[in-house]
Amino acid sequence: MIENLGIDITLLEKGRVEATMPVDERTRQPFGILHGGASVALAETVASIGAYELVDQETESVAGLEINANHIRGVKDGTVKAVATVLHQGKSTQVWDIKISDEEGKLICVSRCTMAVLKLTK
């Protein structure tokens, strides 16, 4: 999905991930604005990547458990930027805050994603 939507991870730190995504024919809905589903896919992508960076990758993995999104403003073209920060890092779950903004820094979408921390079986 990352390649299909043109998502580009621009920053990856412990507890913070940033990425961009174009608003184009791949990510617009039929009325010509950014599709809410594309925003949610971007939000869950940055949360998932961030969550994976915080676990022991030899013994654990992560999976999306819940996501919500409030779509604040429409955008017709350009690029949007997602900034994900960890709010809670527990043994079995993580909670991430994701804010998506347009090129002018105006808030487009705010999302919260809960990630399950999974023990890998051998």
Side-chain angles (χ1 to χ4, degrees):
M1 181 160 313
I2 291 173
E3 287 182 22
N4 290 337
L5 296 180
I7 296 171
D8 181 32
I9 305 302
T10 58
L11 176 77
L12 178 56
E13 299 176 346
K14 296 283 185 186
R16 185 178 177 95
V17 180
E18 296 181 8
T20 59
M21 182 178 71
V23 180
D24 61 17
E25 67 283 347
R26 297 171 290 180
T27 58
R28 283 190 204 107
Q29 45 105 305
F31 304 110
I33 61 174
L34 179 62
H35 195 294
S39 294
V40 172
L42 174 60
E44 188 162 346
T45 296
V46 291
S48 295
I49 290 170
Y52 189 65
E53 286 298 309
L54 295 179
V55 299
D56 178 352
Q57 297 172 8
E58 302 254 333
T59 62
E60 298 172 313
S61 187
V62 296
L65 187 61
E66 188 273 340
I67 190 164
N68 67 53
N70 293 99
H71 305 291
I72 309 297
R73 169 181 286 111
V75 60
K76 293 184 176 187
D77 53 28
T79 301
V80 293
K81 177 182 179 178
V83 177
T85 54
V86 67
L87 298 174
H88 165 73
Q89 182 182 349
K91 291 181 182 180
S92 61
T93 61
Q94 295 179 21
V95 179
W96 285 78
D97 174 71
I98 305 97
K99 290 183 174 63
I100 301 173
S101 302
D102 67 11
E103 293 174 327
E104 297 174 2
K106 293 180 183 172
L107 190 62
I108 300 300
C109 177
V110 61
S111 180
R112 187 178 63 225
C113 185
T114 303
M115 301 297 300
V117 177
L118 309 170
K119 299 294 182 193
L120 296 175
T121 57
K122 294 182 181 184

